[in-house]
Amino acid sequence: MFELPKLKYGMGDLKQCMSEEAIQFHYGKHHQAYTDKLNLALDANPKYKGQTIEDLLTNIDAIDESARTALRNQGGGYYNHSLFWETMSPKGGGEPSGRVSEIINSNYGSFQGFAEEFTNKSMSVFGSGWTWLLQNGNIITTANQDTPVSMGYEVPLLCLDLWEHAYYIDYRNRRDEFIKAWWNVVDWQAVNDRVVNR
Ligand code: MN3
């Protein structure tokens, strides 16, 4: 059974970007609900139990049709939010160093160029979805709870939740202000730790 991953900070510790109340709802209600519904879907389809979330999502097309939509939506929601929380920190912000800095600079010339492109793509997401930085430097967006893990893409290093539930409590409809504040809590050390050596 999957469990809601523990946060590495307190729910009131990311106030440069989101309030304690926002995290209580986003983590404690929304992420918890994805977790619970993922477990319910696995209870109903026990032959898929025992796999990692990455394995389930990587092979989503091979899942029986009766279970595929639930695993895609709830499993994607579980995985995407887990990465979202993992790559933020009260001590985040600034610019990356190390491997992530090399990936960004070789693709975008500078951190500013990267941040501008990531922000523009995030603003262009219509409805609910996510923006992603992949290990090859590409920035992609996905709709709903779709995840790069299911789409044959490279390892996702960083993601930003663009569902209204991510910012409506603190910013109402002002997605641009949420994105601007989010850069202050990106945990570049955690992002660097995700880069796979090859
Ligand atoms: Mn969310």
Side-chain angles (χ1 to χ4, degrees):
M1 301 302 276
F2 289 97
E3 290 182 7
L4 189 64
K6 293 268 181 289
L7 295 177
K8 58 188 183 180
Y9 37 78
M11 290 205 235
D13 291 344
L14 293 183
K15 284 184 180 149
Q16 306 105 299
C17 176
M18 51 190 87
S19 65
E20 184 164 6
E21 184 188 13
I23 297 184
Q24 282 169 348
F25 275 85
H26 197 177
Y27 171 76
K29 303 291 185 190
H30 291 278
H31 197 179
Q32 182 70 61
Y34 290 116
T35 307
D36 293 342
K37 289 176 185 172
L38 169 61
N39 285 326
L40 282 175
L42 290 170
D43 278 340
N45 300 274
K47 70 177 180 177
Y48 298 116
K49 282 189 179 183
Q51 297 187 43
T52 65
I53 190 64
E54 287 87 354
D55 284 343
L56 285 169
L57 292 170
T58 300
N59 302 304
I60 196 76
D61 290 337
I63 303 269
D64 288 352
E65 203 176 338
S66 59
R68 194 183 309 144
T69 299
L71 290 181
R72 176 175 161 183
N73 290 340
Q74 312 306 338
Y78 176 81
Y79 174 87
N80 296 349
H81 285 89
S82 300
L83 178 57
F84 182 58
W85 304 119
E86 178 192 326
T87 50
M88 291 189 287
S89 163
K91 293 179 177 150
E95 297 187 16
S97 58
R99 294 285 300 281
V100 171
S101 171
E102 292 165 20
I103 290 167
I104 284 174
N105 287 331
S106 69
N107 281 274
Y108 302 95
S110 66
F111 178 74
Q112 285 72 23
F114 158 74
E116 194 173 316
E117 173 109 1
F118 195 99
T119 296
N120 289 343
K121 287 203 169 165
S122 299
M123 288 302 294
S124 78
V125 170
F126 180 76
S128 298
W130 295 76
T131 311
W132 304 83
L133 171 65
L134 307 179
Q135 170 142 336
N136 63 3
N138 286 352
I139 298 168
I140 66 162
T141 62
T142 59
N144 303 314
Q145 294 299 352
D146 289 351
T147 183
V149 178
S150 298
M151 302 163 88
Y153 287 120
E154 295 207 0
V155 177
L157 302 180
L158 175 68
C159 62
L160 173 58
D161 190 340
L162 297 165
W163 285 55
E164 275 189 347
H165 70 223
Y167 56 86
Y168 209 80
I169 287 176
D170 294 326
Y171 300 92
R172 297 306 178 199
N173 60 327
R174 301 186 300 276
R175 184 189 279 183
D176 57 334
E177 291 182 21
F178 167 61
I179 296 169
K180 193 174 175 192
W182 173 74
W183 292 109
N184 296 325
V185 293
V186 175
D187 183 352
W188 291 112
Q189 185 54 55
V191 178
N192 255 317
D193 289 345
R194 293 185 53 77
V195 176
V196 178
N197 285 313
R198 57 182 176 176

